[in-house]
Amino acid sequence: MGNSGGSLTTRSTGELHQLMRAAGFTGIDGTEALAEGWQTTHFADAGRRSLTALVQRTGTPAVMVSFLDSDVGFIEAATPEGSTWEGLLNRDMATSYEIPLEQFPIEPAVVGALAWAATSGLTPDEEAIRQTLTGSALFAEELSSALLAALGLPGAT
């Protein structure tokens, strides 16, 4: 099973790459500016607690998607207040990897995503979030981009 890295989206001031390295992210690659201070940075790998460590260091919410061969996306999100949620992108492909779908229930992910977006000062689209969590695509990255837009991230397409 290969890993094709992931993407982290956060609103950060300061040297984000340096903060990401300190939190255990490796292979940090280009950063793409969205709008209103939000940005997406690509990385090769992250430790088990890297997202939580980064959110604590930056004091800003973040959402991370780790990709498995561009087929499946594992979503993790956290806020500085300590609320977290997780989800799975491309469920149809996940079954071919024998990933247990019951470990990634859809409704708690939708509720978590809505709460995360509200805490982040965003206006999410609940139906669009549900569609990204249940939909399928040739590449999980397509669903990840749709999820960012559904969460209400400014400048996400």
Side-chain angles (χ1 to χ4, degrees), residues 88-92 129-137 143:
L88 186 67
L89 296 173
N90 233 7
R91 296 174 83 82
D92 292 346
I129 290 170
R130 187 172 278 103
Q131 285 173 0
T132 62
L133 295 173
T134 57
S136 59
L143 292 170

Side-chain angles (χ1 to χ4, degrees), residues 8-127:
L8 172 89
T9 303
T10 189
R11 178 189 240 159
S12 178
T13 56
E15 178 38 54
L16 182 60
H17 289 193
Q18 189 177 332
L19 292 167
M20 286 176 71
R21 278 191 290 279
F25 288 87
T26 61
I28 299 163
D29 202 7
T31 295
E32 175 188 342
L34 298 176
E36 297 175 27
W38 288 93
Q39 51 194 339
T40 298
T41 302
H42 300 278
F43 60 88
D45 201 13
R48 212 170 62 75
R49 302 205 21 85
S50 293
L51 179 68
T52 306
L54 182 72
V55 167
Q56 288 169 348
R57 279 184 168 85
T58 63
T60 60
V63 61
M64 175 175 89
V65 181
S66 300
F67 299 105
L68 179 62
D69 291 336
S70 289
D71 291 332
V72 180
F74 297 94
I75 309 161
E76 286 181 69
T79 66
E81 297 77 29
S83 65
T84 61
W85 68 276
E86 58 182 26
L88 186 67
L89 296 173
N90 233 7
R91 296 174 83 82
D92 292 346
M93 284 301 292
T95 57
S96 68
Y97 285 94
E98 299 180 5
I99 295 167
L101 297 183
E102 65 275 7
Q103 290 184 9
F104 299 94
I106 294 165
E107 286 312 308
V110 172
V111 169
L114 291 170
W116 180 91
T119 300
S120 303
L122 304 173
T123 305
D125 178 336
E126 181 176 350
E127 193 48 44

